[in-house]
Every structure is written in structure tokens, then in C-alpha cells.
Amino acid sequence: MTQRRIGLIGAGALALLGMAPAALRYPQTPVDNVSTTYFGTVVRDPYRWLEDGKSPEVQTWLGEQNKLARSYLDALPGREALAMRFHELLYIDTISAPERAGDRFFYMKHSSRDEKAILYWSPVGRPEEEHVLVDPNQFVATNNAALGESAVSLDGKLLAYTLKPNNSDEATLYVMEVATGKKSAVDVIPGARYGSPSWTPKGDGFYYTWIPPKDTVPVAERPGYAEVRYHALGTDPAKDRTVHEKTGNAKTFVNAELSRNGRWLIATVEHGWTRTDVEMMDLHAAKPTWTPLVVGQDARYIVDVDKGRFYVRTNDGAPKYRVMLVDPAHPARDQWKELIPERHDATLESSGILGHHLVLSYLKDVVSQVEVRDEAGKLVRAIELPTLGAIGGFTGNADDDLAYYSFQSFTYPTEIFETSLTTGKTS
């Protein structure tokens, strides 16, 4: 049987290009007499054989399809001009807002000459002294590994990062000395697809999310096997202790983050994109145990910690989000206090504790607005942006007065700004 049906979009596109679909002689596509019964209903699936991408039949079929496509597309006029223009637009120099740890800045920079962005560091105050930390371009010719997550220890001396072979979701976590670029041969952790390493204040270990290898449990059930572990530097990762057990629910995602003072471990269990369960553990307690902060509510909760208080951004009772203040000594939901009410004219997209201030990023009429408030919720200032446009996420630490952000619009090229949370001075 010859398969000649073309979707409306494909047919319309070909018509606009001046060639009717009937002019193309498509390769034959065999039809199998395959069906499955779902709850008493028979569903035919004649092209199920195409799901095995490695089979010789599918490989042959793909080759013929590609040959047909190339015979037409390669003959279209203007392709070289388009390729040159796309190259001009896409291969440009870009840089991210820096993150500070200790006396170093860390940032991603993409050169127009490279396929992938490179992770750099430079000493604070000496941007000209630039050092490469991880360059994914060096892997293009081998396993084409992509840089996944990266987390710098609080003192800026160590980097935990993941590499994803062939740009896949699977990842392995590594640890590197920032000053020397030396990679640890011991601290190598497979199963770091969801990694998210969170360092201890001393930089002697980190918490991370681990998942079993894909061939050891059913693929569809793997997320339910994810668990939070603690890794002490220099020890065998296979012996890392489990801090938060697996949920057993493949529709959840578990993660944990340690507060900067090392006292509060906050675990989140995401149920899709609409619900978050949050638990807390006081690591200074005689017997640290998990205590529910909010569980079973059909809402999302994002927790920041500073000076022994929790600042929770949530859409619980506020579709456009608000910020609640929580005393961990009295974590019951009815003890929470509203700190930043919901704005009905704008959506609170992000919040964070920087320089012991609350930095709130709103979206109003598709335009970014940023407010700086003290930790009592009082408005300190609105950050004046160059024009109507979009903010890139703020970077900074609770203990540092300086914060950084990027800004761009359709007519304003991306720039990185530095601002003082105390004075408002921006450059």
C-alpha cells in the first residue's frame, strides 16, 4: 500500500512553495493488521512497526523518506541566503548574569564560533582574568556530552556538575576543583538525571536527587524511584545514605535544598505542574526527622529561607501568587502570615532573598516589573528598567548586597546589570 496522505499543515506548506503534494512520489509504507483492545474497544494500529526505530525496515523507510525530502528541499532557491542569515542571527556572542560564590564569579558564555556555551569563572573585580571551567564543545567529536546542572560550593572552591552524553536526559555527576580544574576520580555519581546538588556550608558534601539506572526498573516508573541522597566528598557514591525515600509514584518528582546556614533541609515533591508537597528537616535537632510543612493541597509552594524564617511563594488562594511568612517553630498552615499580597494586575513570576531583601519579579501586560522589599514586606523601591522588556532571573546571595540580572527587549540588546539592594545604585 502506498501512503500518500499529507497533514493539512504539510500540504499547505507545499502548496505555498509551489508544488502540489501529488507531484511527490512517496515511498511505500506497509500496513500491518495489528490492533489492541482497550476497555472493550478495538483500536487498530497499522503503523506500530514504525515504533522500532532501530529495525532494518524502519531504517530503510526513513532513508527513502529523507531522500525524497532532500530531492525537493535542496532544489529550492534561496537556501544559501537563508542559511547565511540564520547563521548571522543565531551564532552570536552571549553571556549570562554572573553568580558569585566566595571571591569568584561564575557565568555561561557562548561564542559565535562555538556550538555550545562554556562555563567560566573569574576573580571578583578582575573580569579580564577569565578561566574555563567546563567546555562542552570538547565533547562534540566523542560522545557529544552536554553540560547539565552546575552548582558551586558556597566558598567558590568546588563545582558539582552533570554531563549528559549525546545530549540525552541521562546524566553523570562530577566534582571539580575550581582553581585547578582537576576533576575528582572518586566523586563520580551515575543516576544524576535529576541531580540538583545542594552544598553544605563547609563544602564537604552535598544533597542530590538520585535515580536508578534506566535498565534496572521499568522506564515509565523511574520517576517514582527517585530519592534524595547525601554525598560526602571523597567517599564511595554507592554507599551514599538516603535522606528522603522514593515516593513510589511515577507522577511525582522529588528534590531537596539545604539552607545557606546548613540548618534547614527543604524537600519538595512536585505532582506535575500544579501541586507541591513540602517537608522540612531541622539538621540541628538531636534526631532530625521530616516534618510536613504543607502536604496534600492543590497548589504550588516555593520556599526561600533566611534568618530562620521561611518565605513561601504560592498560588494557594492567590492565582497570581503571593508570599507568605512562616515560622518553622510553628509550621501549621493556619499559622502562616501573608507578607506580600497577591497583585491582581500582575503575576508574581519569581521571588528570592538577596542581600536580606525580597526581590519580586512580576509580569504585567507581558512586561517585567521588579520590586525590592525589606523582609518585613515594606516596599523599598521599584527597579527602573531601561524600557519595556523582559528581565532575566536575578542572581545573588542572601548575604551579599550586590545582585545581577539581564534585560532585553525586541529593540534593546541583552545587557547585564549590577544593583545594590541597599542603595539601589545600578550599573
Side-chain angles (χ1 to χ4, degrees):
M1 176 181 178
T2 302
Q3 174 68 6
R4 295 182 180 276
R5 295 186 63 191
I6 302 176
L8 293 178
I9 295 178
L14 291 173
L16 288 174
L17 292 171
M19 175 173 276
L24 297 177
R25 301 178 63 86
Y26 284 86
Q28 288 189 337
T29 302
V31 176
D32 287 342
N33 186 23
V34 176
S35 63
T36 303
T37 301
Y38 298 101
F39 305 104
T41 300
V42 177
V43 179
R44 295 185 64 249
D45 194 359
Y47 302 111
R48 186 177 297 177
W49 64 275
L50 283 169
E51 295 178 4
D52 184 4
K54 296 181 180 179
S55 73
E57 294 81 6
V58 173
Q59 289 295 312
T60 299
W61 182 86
L62 286 173
E64 293 175 348
Q65 293 283 345
N66 288 334
K67 182 178 179 181
L68 172 68
R70 292 265 61 90
S71 69
Y72 176 75
L73 295 175
D74 290 347
L76 293 176
R79 288 177 57 84
E80 292 185 4
L82 278 174
M84 291 178 60
R85 181 55 177 155
F86 287 150
H87 191 279
E88 292 175 351
L89 295 174
L90 300 177
Y91 285 79
I92 58 176
D93 294 339
T94 61
I95 189 171
S96 69
E99 295 187 22
R100 178 172 179 172
D103 57 0
R104 294 183 171 102
F105 279 132
F106 298 84
Y107 49 93
M108 300 294 298
K109 189 162 74 168
H110 186 218
S111 168
S112 60
R113 301 181 301 274
D114 296 325
E115 288 292 331
K116 301 180 180 182
I118 299 172
L119 178 59
Y120 288 88
W121 74 270
S122 63
V124 172
R126 301 197 301 276
E128 69 281 357
E129 296 182 28
E130 194 170 63
H131 304 269
V132 173
L133 259 182
V134 182
D135 180 5
N137 295 287
Q138 66 177 305
F139 307 122
V140 171
T142 54
N143 67 349
N144 198 25
L147 175 62
E149 300 182 64
S150 59
V152 183
S153 60
L154 272 60
D155 59 10
K157 295 181 179 180
L158 295 170
L159 171 74
Y161 66 101
T162 61
L163 291 179
K164 304 189 291 185
N166 298 312
N167 298 290
S168 69
D169 290 332
E170 304 304 319
T172 298
L173 193 152
Y174 302 91
V175 176
M176 177 189 294
E177 290 182 355
V178 172
T180 64
K182 182 180 178 181
K183 188 164 64 174
S184 169
V186 177
D187 306 293
V188 179
I189 306 176
R193 176 175 180 170
Y194 302 133
S196 300
S198 183
W199 286 93
T200 62
K202 293 181 180 179
D204 55 359
F206 50 81
Y207 297 86
Y208 67 100
T209 300
W210 176 86
I211 191 170
K214 61 181 180 179
D215 297 329
T216 60
V217 297
V219 173
E221 299 177 16
R222 285 182 76 203
Y225 283 84
E227 60 188 45
V228 176
R229 293 183 172 184
Y230 174 74
H231 177 68
L233 292 186
T235 64
D236 181 2
K239 299 179 181 179
D240 287 351
R241 62 183 173 90
T242 299
V243 179
H244 192 289
E245 296 286 351
K246 65 183 181 182
T247 66
N249 183 352
K251 297 181 179 180
T252 62
F253 173 77
V254 62
N255 186 31
E257 187 171 356
L258 185 65
S259 62
R260 284 181 65 84
N261 63 5
R263 177 173 181 177
W264 297 102
L265 187 63
I266 306 296
T268 57
V269 179
E270 299 284 353
H271 297 257
W273 299 103
T274 60
R275 172 186 158 193
T276 312
D277 292 338
V278 184
E279 299 171 90
M280 63 182 189
M281 179 184 288
D282 184 356
L283 298 182
H284 290 182
K287 293 183 179 180
T289 57
W290 288 111
T291 300
L293 184 63
V294 57
V295 174
Q297 299 301 310
D298 191 18
R300 300 200 68 233
Y301 304 87
I302 301 92
V303 181
D304 286 300
V305 183
D306 191 34
K307 296 180 180 179
R309 291 174 293 186
F310 296 173
Y311 298 83
V312 183
R313 179 168 62 92
T314 179
N315 61 350
D316 181 358
K320 295 185 177 181
Y321 287 86
R322 57 179 172 170
V323 178
M324 308 292 287
L325 182 64
V326 181
D327 180 355
H330 305 282
R333 180 63 181 84
D334 58 6
Q335 297 297 306
W336 295 17
K337 298 179 180 178
E338 184 178 73
L339 188 66
I340 309 295
E342 175 188 27
R343 277 180 56 178
H344 298 289
D345 65 334
T347 299
L348 179 57
E349 290 197 305
S350 66
S351 62
I353 304 294
L354 308 176
H356 301 299
H357 288 75
L358 270 169
V359 178
L360 309 172
S361 180
Y362 289 93
L363 187 67
K364 180 182 179 183
D365 299 330
V366 203
V367 172
S368 292
Q369 293 182 347
V370 183
E371 293 180 355
V372 177
R373 294 177 177 264
D374 63 24
E375 292 188 333
K378 181 181 178 181
L379 179 65
V380 176
R381 74 182 67 84
I383 292 183
E384 185 177 349
L385 302 176
T387 183
L388 300 180
I391 282 280
F394 270 77
T395 66
N397 300 313
D399 301 327
D400 293 335
D401 178 56
L402 296 178
Y404 303 85
Y405 61 92
S406 63
F407 178 84
Q408 65 176 348
S409 76
F410 289 118
T411 59
Y412 194 100
T414 302
E415 287 189 341
I416 309 297
F417 291 86
E418 176 186 87
T419 187
S420 165
L421 280 311
T422 302
T423 67
K425 182 180 179 181
T426 299
S427 59

